[in-house]
Amino acid sequence: VEMLTAQPSDTRTVEALAARVVPLSVAAGERVDRVVHIEITREFDLVGVVAKGGVFLRGFAVDVVAADGCRTPIARDRDFRMNLTAPLVFRNPPELSKGSIIEVRFDLDNTRENPLQPFDPPRPLAAGLPPEGEDAAIVLLVAPRDTQRLQQ
Protein backbone atom coordinates (compact mmCIF):
# COMPACT_ATOMS: atom_id res chain seq x y z
CA VAL A 1 0.00 0.00 0.00
CA GLU A 2 1.36 3.39 -0.98
CA MET A 3 0.73 6.69 0.77
CA LEU A 4 -0.64 9.38 -1.55
CA THR A 5 -0.80 13.15 -1.31
CA ALA A 6 -4.17 14.77 -1.96
CA GLN A 7 -4.42 16.74 -5.19
CA PRO A 8 -6.44 19.94 -5.77
CA SER A 9 -8.81 17.88 -7.94
CA ASP A 10 -9.69 15.65 -4.95
CA THR A 11 -12.92 17.34 -3.93
CA ARG A 12 -15.04 14.57 -2.46
CA THR A 13 -15.87 14.52 1.22
CA VAL A 14 -14.35 11.64 3.16
CA GLU A 15 -16.49 9.97 5.80
CA ALA A 16 -15.45 7.56 8.56
CA LEU A 17 -17.15 4.24 9.30
CA ALA A 18 -15.91 2.75 12.58
CA ALA A 19 -15.86 -0.94 13.48
CA ARG A 20 -15.53 -1.73 17.19
CA VAL A 21 -16.22 -4.83 19.24
CA VAL A 22 -19.08 -3.95 21.61
CA PRO A 23 -19.23 -5.31 24.22
CA LEU A 24 -15.59 -6.36 24.37
CA SER A 25 -14.74 -9.19 26.74
CA VAL A 26 -12.00 -11.85 26.55
CA ALA A 27 -11.35 -14.33 29.35
CA ALA A 28 -7.90 -14.59 30.85
CA GLY A 29 -5.81 -17.04 28.82
CA GLU A 30 -8.00 -16.89 25.68
CA ARG A 31 -7.22 -15.82 22.12
CA VAL A 32 -10.40 -15.13 20.14
CA ASP A 33 -11.65 -13.68 16.87
CA ARG A 34 -14.47 -11.17 17.04
CA VAL A 35 -16.26 -10.17 13.85
CA VAL A 36 -18.06 -6.90 13.15
CA HIS A 37 -20.21 -6.29 10.06
CA ILE A 38 -20.99 -2.92 8.51
CA GLU A 39 -23.72 -2.79 5.88
CA ILE A 40 -23.02 -0.41 3.00
CA THR A 41 -26.14 1.66 2.36
CA ARG A 42 -24.77 3.94 -0.40
CA GLU A 43 -22.20 3.68 -3.19
CA PHE A 44 -18.71 4.45 -1.82
CA ASP A 45 -15.05 4.27 -2.73
CA LEU A 46 -12.93 2.90 0.10
CA VAL A 47 -10.18 5.52 0.35
CA GLY A 48 -8.28 4.12 3.33
CA VAL A 49 -8.19 2.05 6.50
CA VAL A 50 -6.92 3.15 9.92
CA ALA A 51 -6.24 0.59 12.66
CA LYS A 52 -6.09 1.49 16.33
CA GLY A 53 -5.53 -0.86 19.21
CA GLY A 54 -3.69 -1.71 22.37
CA VAL A 55 -1.56 -4.65 23.42
CA PHE A 56 -4.36 -7.20 23.08
CA LEU A 57 -5.14 -6.51 19.39
CA ARG A 58 -2.73 -8.91 17.66
CA GLY A 59 -4.16 -8.70 14.15
CA PHE A 60 -7.07 -7.73 11.98
CA ALA A 61 -8.61 -8.46 8.59
CA VAL A 62 -10.99 -6.36 6.49
CA ASP A 63 -13.01 -7.96 3.67
CA VAL A 64 -15.81 -6.75 1.43
CA VAL A 65 -18.60 -9.25 0.85
CA ALA A 66 -20.65 -8.32 -2.22
CA ALA A 67 -24.41 -8.86 -2.39
CA ASP A 68 -23.73 -11.98 -4.54
CA GLY A 69 -21.51 -13.44 -1.76
CA CYS A 70 -18.19 -12.76 -3.50
CA ARG A 71 -15.52 -11.96 -0.86
CA THR A 72 -12.65 -9.53 -1.57
CA PRO A 73 -9.78 -9.11 0.92
CA ILE A 74 -9.03 -5.42 1.55
CA ALA A 75 -6.52 -5.15 4.40
CA ARG A 76 -4.64 -7.56 6.67
CA ASP A 77 -2.23 -7.22 9.56
CA ARG A 78 -1.39 -10.50 11.30
CA ASP A 79 1.21 -8.94 13.62
CA PHE A 80 -0.31 -5.68 14.79
CA ARG A 81 1.89 -3.81 17.24
CA MET A 82 -0.39 -1.52 19.26
CA ASN A 83 -1.22 2.12 19.04
CA LEU A 84 -2.55 4.10 16.09
CA THR A 85 -1.00 3.08 12.79
CA ALA A 86 -0.53 5.25 9.73
CA PRO A 87 -3.57 5.02 7.45
CA LEU A 88 -3.51 2.53 4.61
CA VAL A 89 -4.45 4.67 1.61
CA PHE A 90 -5.44 3.05 -1.69
CA ARG A 91 -4.06 4.29 -5.02
CA ASN A 92 -7.09 2.66 -6.73
CA PRO A 93 -9.84 2.74 -4.11
CA PRO A 94 -12.00 -0.39 -4.00
CA GLU A 95 -15.62 0.26 -4.92
CA LEU A 96 -18.20 -0.51 -2.26
CA SER A 97 -21.62 -1.21 -3.73
CA LYS A 98 -24.86 -0.58 -1.92
CA GLY A 99 -25.90 -3.82 -0.22
CA SER A 100 -22.38 -5.12 0.28
CA ILE A 101 -21.02 -5.87 3.74
CA ILE A 102 -17.69 -4.87 5.24
CA GLU A 103 -16.48 -7.67 7.50
CA VAL A 104 -13.85 -6.70 10.08
CA ARG A 105 -12.18 -9.51 12.03
CA PHE A 106 -10.34 -8.62 15.24
CA ASP A 107 -7.74 -11.09 16.61
CA LEU A 108 -7.70 -10.46 20.37
CA ASP A 109 -4.97 -12.22 22.35
CA ASN A 110 -5.19 -12.37 26.15
CA THR A 111 -2.75 -15.29 26.57
CA ARG A 112 0.71 -15.62 28.09
CA GLU A 113 1.99 -16.19 24.52
CA ASN A 114 1.09 -12.60 23.57
CA PRO A 115 4.53 -10.92 23.61
CA LEU A 116 2.91 -7.62 24.69
CA GLN A 117 0.82 -9.17 27.51
CA PRO A 118 1.21 -6.78 30.48
CA PHE A 119 -0.03 -9.22 33.13
CA ASP A 120 1.30 -12.49 34.51
CA PRO A 121 -0.97 -14.30 34.87
CA PRO A 122 -3.37 -12.77 32.30
CA ARG A 123 -6.45 -11.02 33.70
CA PRO A 124 -9.96 -10.89 32.20
CA LEU A 125 -10.09 -8.27 29.46
CA ALA A 126 -12.80 -5.66 28.92
CA ALA A 127 -13.19 -2.51 26.88
CA GLY A 128 -11.15 0.42 28.14
CA LEU A 129 -7.87 2.18 27.81
CA PRO A 130 -4.53 0.33 27.72
CA PRO A 131 -2.79 -1.23 29.46
CA GLU A 132 -5.67 -2.71 31.48
CA GLY A 133 -8.34 -2.55 28.78
CA GLU A 134 -8.60 -2.71 25.00
CA ASP A 135 -9.97 0.02 22.75
CA ALA A 136 -9.44 -1.60 19.35
CA ALA A 137 -11.12 0.00 16.34
CA ILE A 138 -10.82 -0.18 12.58
CA VAL A 139 -11.87 3.03 10.84
CA LEU A 140 -12.81 2.85 7.17
CA LEU A 141 -12.33 6.09 5.25
CA VAL A 142 -14.94 6.24 2.49
CA ALA A 143 -15.87 8.78 -0.18
CA PRO A 144 -19.37 8.81 -1.68
CA ARG A 145 -19.29 7.76 -5.33
CA ASP A 146 -19.53 10.69 -7.72
CA THR A 147 -21.11 9.32 -10.89
CA GLN A 148 -20.26 12.42 -12.96
CA ARG A 149 -16.61 12.22 -12.01
CA LEU A 150 -16.50 8.48 -12.73
CA GLN A 151 -17.84 9.01 -16.26
CA GLN A 152 -15.00 11.39 -17.20
Side-chain angles (χ1 to χ4, degrees):
V1 175
E2 182 179 349
M3 298 294 289
L4 303 176
T5 303
Q7 303 298 316
S9 61
D10 295 335
T11 59
R12 292 187 293 170
T13 300
V14 174
E15 300 175 17
L17 303 176
R20 296 182 59 229
V21 177
V22 178
L24 189 147
S25 176
V26 180
E30 285 191 345
R31 184 170 186 168
V32 298
D33 280 346
R34 297 287 190 254
V35 178
V36 175
H37 294 105
I38 299 173
E39 182 179 357
I40 302 303
T41 59
R42 301 185 328 215
E43 303 292 313
F44 286 114
D45 289 333
L46 180 58
V47 178
V49 176
V50 180
K52 192 243 183 264
V55 298
F56 300 101
L57 179 63
R58 297 296 298 133
F60 67 88
V62 179
D63 292 345
V64 175
V65 181
D68 66 3
C70 182
R71 178 181 296 272
T72 303
I74 298 297
R76 300 272 187 281
D77 188 337
R78 291 184 175 90
D79 190 27
F80 185 80
R81 294 295 174 138
M82 113 178 222
N83 219 331
L84 180 64
T85 62
L88 303 172
V89 178
F90 300 102
R91 176 178 289 281
N92 297 306
E95 296 178 3
L96 303 178
S97 300
K98 182 178 179 178
S100 60
I101 301 289
I102 300 287
E103 182 179 280
V104 179
R105 185 172 302 274
F106 294 85
D107 173 10
L108 299 165
D109 186 354
N110 192 18
T111 67
R112 279 191 165 109
E113 291 75 29
N114 178 348
L116 301 176
Q117 173 64 260
F119 305 111
D120 187 18
R123 300 177 187 172
L125 174 64
L129 296 176
E132 295 187 11
E134 180 57 70
D135 60 347
I138 302 297
V139 179
L140 308 168
L141 304 175
V142 297
R145 302 286 313 276
D146 180 345
T147 54
Q148 282 186 324
R149 186 173 176 189
L150 294 173
Q151 294 170 356
Q152 295 176 358

